[in-house]
Amino acid sequence: MKNQIALLLPYFGKFPSYFQLWLDSAELNKNSIDYILVTDQDMEEYRIPGNVTVVKSSFGDLKNHISNQYNFNISLDKPYKLCDYKPAYGEIFKELFYGYNYWGFCDPDVIWGNINFFLQKYKFFEKDYDKFGCLGHFQILKNNERVITAYRHYDNERMRDYRYVFSHPYNFAFDEQFSFNIIAKKQNLIINDLMDNPTPFADIKSNSLNFQRAYGEFKNVRYRYFIYNKHRGLREIIVRDDLSKISYQCMYVHFQKRKMKIYAEEAEASKAIFPNEIVNGDIYIKKSNILQSNIYSLEKWLALHTKKESLNSIKHKIEFKKFVARQKSFL
């Protein structure tokens, strides 16, 4: 450990096809952030940077560890349910965060940019934030008792009550802006939710034909792609309707489980990231990239709309949508 911040990623099962790039881009932040990866996967095929620590664990052992933290029966049958436990990671995994001033959580389906650039831009340390970020794929929090137990705050919305969330099998997005972030606001934590317009990160819609932002979309965007450079970080390239280009430094891009084909060589310093593939170097968009992304979208749509669901699952989704709608006044 040599940094003040540690981000935790428990992940079980096969990593995304571009996970080596996740690791490489984590190394870009070696002077500001340590990453802790808890997994059951064999990591021999990957090059692990010095600021990434791998902790081997089975999902069953992790579930038992979490269960032992509470005096009620938790629900944790599938790894994806871990998303609801993210706000509690500071308490659940306090031994992993020992000695750090800040703890946080992240997702595997991201490519990191130069996070330190944005920590400086937002004067992260000078403003003494308790919480940095509000979405489930990336948050940094202060490592003190008040913040690590903030998720336990009583709330009259049961979908924002950790006991209810932790004891039911469905996903409640407890780590997102309409749950944990509202809990933090109610406790007067010092927060930068990073929801500028545009946001410093690119959260890509999962069902879009091309790369479309879920938050803070620009005007007159024909399409976008990203350039990752292991020395300079991540840039978002926006192509306007008149084919002019604008380039922005990007904190990270979140793919939301989008499947990507890898054609880039690991040794290549610069990589271009399109909606369906990652290739070598800073190259121009080809028409085939746009057309192939339509195929991805159709496959995604079919997967979403042909999935069988139980009646209880459908009822939960209806109730959850009503819950989200009630939170607009807090956002």
Side-chain angles (χ1 to χ4, degrees):
M1 181 199 75
K2 59 180 179 180
N3 293 309
Q4 296 188 54
I5 304 169
L7 296 182
L8 177 65
L9 172 62
Y11 193 81
F12 300 89
K14 187 177 180 181
F15 289 111
S17 59
Y18 49 87
F19 193 68
Q20 183 60 60
L21 190 51
W22 185 98
L23 291 165
D24 293 344
S25 60
E27 186 175 28
L28 180 69
N29 296 289
K30 62 184 179 181
N31 294 322
S32 55
I33 296 177
D34 291 338
Y35 296 81
I36 303 171
L37 175 62
V38 180
T39 185
D40 60 351
Q41 295 298 291
D42 184 356
M43 301 300 294
E44 289 185 1
E45 66 178 282
Y46 296 103
R47 186 185 68 83
I48 310 298
N51 63 323
V52 175
T53 299
V54 177
V55 179
K56 295 300 292 290
S57 172
S58 68
F59 179 65
D61 286 344
L62 186 79
K63 178 181 177 179
N64 290 336
H65 173 75
I66 295 175
S67 180
N68 289 335
Q69 311 297 312
Y70 300 100
N71 60 2
F72 57 90
N73 293 328
I74 67 165
S75 178
L76 186 55
D77 295 329
K78 297 180 180 180
Y80 190 71
K81 177 64 178 175
L82 283 168
C83 293
D84 282 335
Y85 290 86
K86 287 178 179 178
Y89 280 180
E91 186 175 45
I92 293 172
F93 300 105
K94 58 185 177 182
E95 69 281 358
L96 294 179
F97 294 121
Y98 179 79
Y100 287 99
N101 293 329
Y102 297 89
W103 63 279
F105 47 82
C106 60
D107 280 355
D109 52 353
V110 306
I111 302 299
W112 302 106
N114 186 344
I115 297 176
N116 190 54
F117 170 85
F118 292 94
L119 293 177
Q120 293 181 29
K121 176 182 177 180
Y122 289 104
K123 298 181 178 179
F124 174 79
F125 296 106
E126 293 89 336
K127 294 193 175 183
D128 200 28
Y129 289 117
D130 293 313
K131 188 171 178 292
F132 193 66
C134 70
L135 300 177
H137 45 259
F138 171 80
Q139 289 183 44
I140 298 174
L141 301 104
K142 193 172 288 184
N143 195 10
N144 61 36
E145 191 68 18
R146 182 187 179 210
V147 176
I148 67 175
T149 60
Y151 76 96
R152 290 178 175 265
H153 177 74
Y154 172 77
D155 199 289
N156 55 5
E157 284 279 7
R158 67 177 183 175
M159 288 195 174
R160 208 161 47 227
D161 184 326
Y162 82 97
R163 287 179 174 270
Y164 183 83
V165 171
F166 290 1
S167 59
H168 286 77
Y170 308 113
N171 181 266
F172 293 87
F174 190 57
D175 53 337
E176 300 288 353
Q177 64 182 139
F178 42 76
S179 285
F180 182 45
N181 207 49
I182 291 177
I183 291 173
K185 286 180 177 180
K186 286 185 173 183
Q187 295 180 79
N188 298 315
L189 297 187
I190 304 172
I191 302 170
N192 186 331
D193 57 18
L194 299 177
M195 296 302 282
D196 306 347
N197 192 11
T199 57
F201 56 88
D203 189 20
I204 302 301
K205 291 182 178 179
S206 61
N207 60 349
S208 62
L209 301 182
N210 300 314
F211 282 158
Q212 294 182 14
R213 279 170 164 258
Y215 304 96
E217 183 57 284
F218 297 87
K219 294 181 179 179
N220 304 319
V221 177
R222 186 164 186 173
Y223 53 82
R224 64 165 44 83
Y225 61 104
F226 298 86
I227 298 296
Y228 168 79
N229 183 280
K230 67 179 182 180
H231 304 296
R232 297 188 295 271
L234 183 69
R235 298 199 70 85
E236 179 178 5
I237 313 298
I238 294 175
V239 182
R240 300 287 196 184
D241 289 337
D242 62 2
L243 299 184
S244 62
K245 290 184 180 181
I246 303 175
S247 175
Y248 296 91
Q249 182 149 208
C250 192
M251 191 173 188
Y252 61 87
V253 55
H254 178 224
F255 294 125
Q256 294 203 39
K257 304 177 187 175
R258 182 185 289 258
K259 293 182 179 179
M260 305 287 284
K261 295 179 180 179
I262 308 299
Y263 299 109
E265 298 174 5
E266 185 180 341
E268 187 77 12
S270 184
K271 297 176 175 64
I273 304 170
F274 300 134
N276 61 317
E277 62 188 22
I278 300 175
V279 301
N280 286 342
D282 185 355
I283 66 175
Y284 292 102
I285 291 282
K286 295 181 180 179
K287 190 175 181 180
S288 61
N289 295 112
I290 307 302
L291 293 176
Q292 289 179 44
S293 68
N294 293 352
I295 297 174
Y296 161 80
S297 181
L298 176 60
E299 291 175 347
K300 184 79 172 181
W301 188 93
L302 289 171
L304 288 172
H305 290 82
T306 57
K307 183 180 178 181
K308 292 183 178 180
E309 294 188 77
S310 67
L311 181 59
N312 285 337
S313 177
I314 294 172
K315 287 181 177 178
H316 166 71
K317 286 188 175 181
I318 293 172
E319 186 179 359
F320 183 71
K321 286 182 178 180
K322 291 179 180 179
F323 160 70
V324 173
R326 292 196 298 270
Q327 312 314 310
K328 290 183 178 179
S329 62
F330 292 99
L331 300 178

